[in-house]
Amino acid sequence: MKTGVSGYRYRCDIRSDSDPFGVLEISYGIGSQVWASAQPALEFDDIPSAYPDTVREVTFEGVEGEGWVWTFDVSIYVAWRYNENQVLLARLTYWGPDEGLDEQVERFHSVLEPALV
């Protein structure tokens, strides 16, 4: 890998059979890039400039590292960097009303927090 570090990449996809949620995707691996939406790989540090309208910093109690949460199209994203070369990206598709999006972002955060420890 470009980082000079070898390791594995893990991914888990869960599909819902009812609205308002569609797919929950979680990927974790070595490196500093995330693959959000249909765009090419994005450096973790470039997330704020790629999604300036919806991105905000996020923290998780008891989890070392740094993170971002943002929405794009019909998805809620959370990217978390544990250290210089380990990144997790979680994506949840949401087909509900726009006025409920902020509440769903907060709920997604609550669900992810214990999983990131």
Side-chain angles (χ1 to χ4, degrees), residues 43-85:
E43 288 293 325
F44 182 88
D45 290 330
D46 294 337
I47 291 171
S49 59
Y51 302 97
D53 296 335
T54 63
V55 72
R56 63 181 170 92
E57 283 187 83
V58 66
T59 60
F60 292 96
E61 189 173 332
V63 183
E64 290 186 34
E66 59 186 322
W68 302 105
V69 62
W70 71 96
T71 57
F72 179 76
D73 198 19
V74 297
S75 297
I76 303 166
Y77 292 91
V78 175
W80 188 260
R81 179 165 54 191
Y82 289 93
N83 58 38
E84 289 300 316
N85 63 1

Side-chain angles (χ1 to χ4, degrees), residues 12-24:
C12 177
D13 295 350
I14 302 169
R15 300 194 184 281
S16 171
D17 61 356
S18 63
D19 289 344
F21 302 106
V23 177
L24 171 61

